[in-house]
Amino acid sequence: MQDNTYRHPRAGWPGRLFAALANSTRFANARQTILSRLPFLTLHSDVRDVVYVSWLVDAAAAQQLLPAGVTLWQRDGKTPFTVLTYRHGHFGPALAGPLRRLLPSPLQSNWRLYLDHTPPGAPAVPCVYFLKNIMDSLPHALGTRLFSDILPTHLAAGMTLEVSATQAHCSIASGTGSAPALDVRADIVGGKTLDGDWHQLFSNWHDAVAFLACQDAAIAHVPRNDKLVFGEIDLPVDLHQVQALRALRADCGLLGQLPPVSKPFAFLVPKVPFKALSERLL
């Protein structure tokens, strides 16, 4: 199973303190006891420049990263693995209303696999499994660690996201921390076609994008009690706005554990409103 223990990207006593907080089961159990009795605080962000890069990987290898009872979507021994990197747009509580524009807009990267069906106790909706979550902001990384179970967040030593009219580039530097490395460079292109490996799973480019980008929920493993956490999201991707990318470079720190069996398939979502609607242990 995938290890998501937090390690700070810089040495020294502050990093050791942050790691102790991020990995504290005592704090997490107390938080769960309190917040499970309160209404969920809906979070909202006007996300932009979402760079999706996906590989078809060996399904047997991917299944080994998941806990018991979680079943991957796969065809002919292949399953998609996706890294999406984006910039938040004033990420914070929806009830803040117009004041949310005063909140910062960190970079975030989600690394996920796709499920054949949701686990028992969860509604039957399109769902992904979060392997990793990386952010470039210490307050946001620690905040998601301390006050949520759905995002196993790691702090990057450095993180970039640059999108122009013709190109997209995103990267993650690990430092000495637990954030995995990433380096993706791609051209924005006009042709929306699938290569042979992807065409065996999806009939056309639009079907592949819809499958990879449109979900209603996510789950993650909670190591302290060996349970699953289920979170509902609202991510209304406008498929007509999605732009095709041709990956020039696609290096990912998890591909050693998930051997790719296809070329990377990439695309860009210019903007999408995002809401986190709920979170609960199964």
Side-chain angles (χ1 to χ4, degrees), residues 84-108:
L84 59 146
T85 305
Y86 52 93
R87 183 177 298 280
H88 276 290
H90 311 297
F91 183 38
L95 59 80
L99 294 178
R100 191 169 54 82
R101 71 186 63 177
L102 302 176
L103 299 176
S105 301
L107 297 179
Q108 184 168 344

Side-chain angles (χ1 to χ4, degrees), residues 9-10 107 134-136 155-160 171-175 179-182:
R10 287 172 284 277
L107 297 179
I134 303 96
M135 302 185 84
D136 71 337
L155 179 66
M159 197 167 175
T160 63
S171 67
I172 297 171
S174 303
L182 179 73

Side-chain angles (χ1 to χ4, degrees), residues 44-48 234-238 271-275:
H44 190 192
S45 180
D46 299 306
V47 168
R48 59 189 187 275
D234 181 31
L235 192 70
V237 174
D238 183 350
K271 60 180 180 178
V272 58
F274 165 79
K275 289 183 181 178

